[in-house]
Amino acid sequence: KFVAGEREGHKVLTKPFLDQGSERSNLYIGTSSMSGYTIQADLLGSLKGRKRPDMGLINGRYILDLMGGHKRLEIRDWEERRLQKTVDFPMEPDVWYTMQMRVDVVSDKAQIRGKLWKTGTPEPAAWTIEVDDPLPMRQGSPGLYGYSAADIFYDNVKVMVNPK
């Protein structure tokens, strides 16, 4: 469950920690027929005891997930877990990160790319993680992903058409 809230005087979207029920949620912000876009958002994961949340973006039925407890960044498909790639990325709690995810379907493959950097610092030129899917999912809704072992905050969400 996502709720509107405030953090440091700014309005944000929050995925709060839940004592019971499902901690894993997706929030879709477009139609399932969308394709050819990039989604970007600022994300902050808090710390609850020693637990850190997983948080990320959804693009065309793929998930870019900053896995706080596992200290890695992962791209995966959300249907069958047939596609999965991870890189190390130690998340610092209570630090804003900007995350960007782009999917391009070209011919018979999808190119899925993600970037992650501390908010307020220059965007890196290179992608942080990339993977090709030989069985592309050609469309799907943009969205936000959260597994709230601790509170997650989202801000400045953008969905942009990919340049040709």
Side-chain angles (χ1 to χ4, degrees):
K1 187 174 195 178
F2 292 80
V3 295
E6 270 195 33
R7 177 146 180 120
E8 300 163 358
H10 299 290
K11 290 185 180 185
V12 296
L13 190 62
T14 304
K15 170 73 175 80
F17 166 76
L18 297 173
D19 282 339
Q20 52 188 304
S22 176
E23 295 178 354
R24 190 175 317 276
S25 296
N26 297 337
L27 174 68
Y28 297 102
I29 54 176
T31 66
S32 62
S33 63
M34 291 177 68
S35 64
Y37 62 88
T38 298
I39 182 168
Q40 179 175 308
D42 296 336
L43 306 96
L44 180 144
S46 63
L47 193 62
K48 183 157 183 71
R50 292 184 296 172
K51 294 183 178 182
R52 298 169 190 236
D54 294 352
M55 55 192 180
L57 303 175
I58 302 168
N59 184 331
R61 300 184 181 155
Y62 299 99
I63 296 174
L64 178 61
D65 184 1
L66 177 55
M67 304 170 83
H70 295 287
K71 300 178 182 177
R72 65 183 180 209
L73 182 66
E74 178 177 88
I75 291 176
R76 65 179 178 271
D77 69 87
W78 60 266
E79 288 183 342
E80 300 172 19
R81 288 281 180 119
R82 61 176 177 73
L83 177 78
Q84 183 175 10
K85 181 175 181 181
T86 61
V87 295
D88 292 338
F89 198 102
M91 180 197 96
E92 296 177 43
D94 298 312
V95 171
W96 283 102
Y97 289 94
T98 301
M99 180 181 277
Q100 185 180 89
M101 183 181 192
R102 179 175 172 152
V103 176
D104 291 295
V105 178
V106 181
S107 189
D108 60 350
K109 74 174 183 175
Q111 184 178 39
I112 306 106
R113 298 178 281 186
K115 285 186 183 182
L116 187 63
W117 67 97
K118 286 186 180 178
T119 303
T121 64
E123 177 181 338
W127 294 96
T128 310
I129 187 170
E130 299 180 65
V131 66
D132 288 342
D133 184 358
L135 301 169
M137 290 183 265
R138 299 186 178 276
Q139 55 193 26
S141 177
L144 305 174
Y145 167 80
Y147 177 70
S148 55
D151 292 342
I152 306 168
F153 301 92
Y154 304 83
D155 199 6
N156 302 315
V157 179
K158 302 177 197 175
V159 178
M160 305 158 283
V161 174
N162 292 346
K164 300 283 180 184

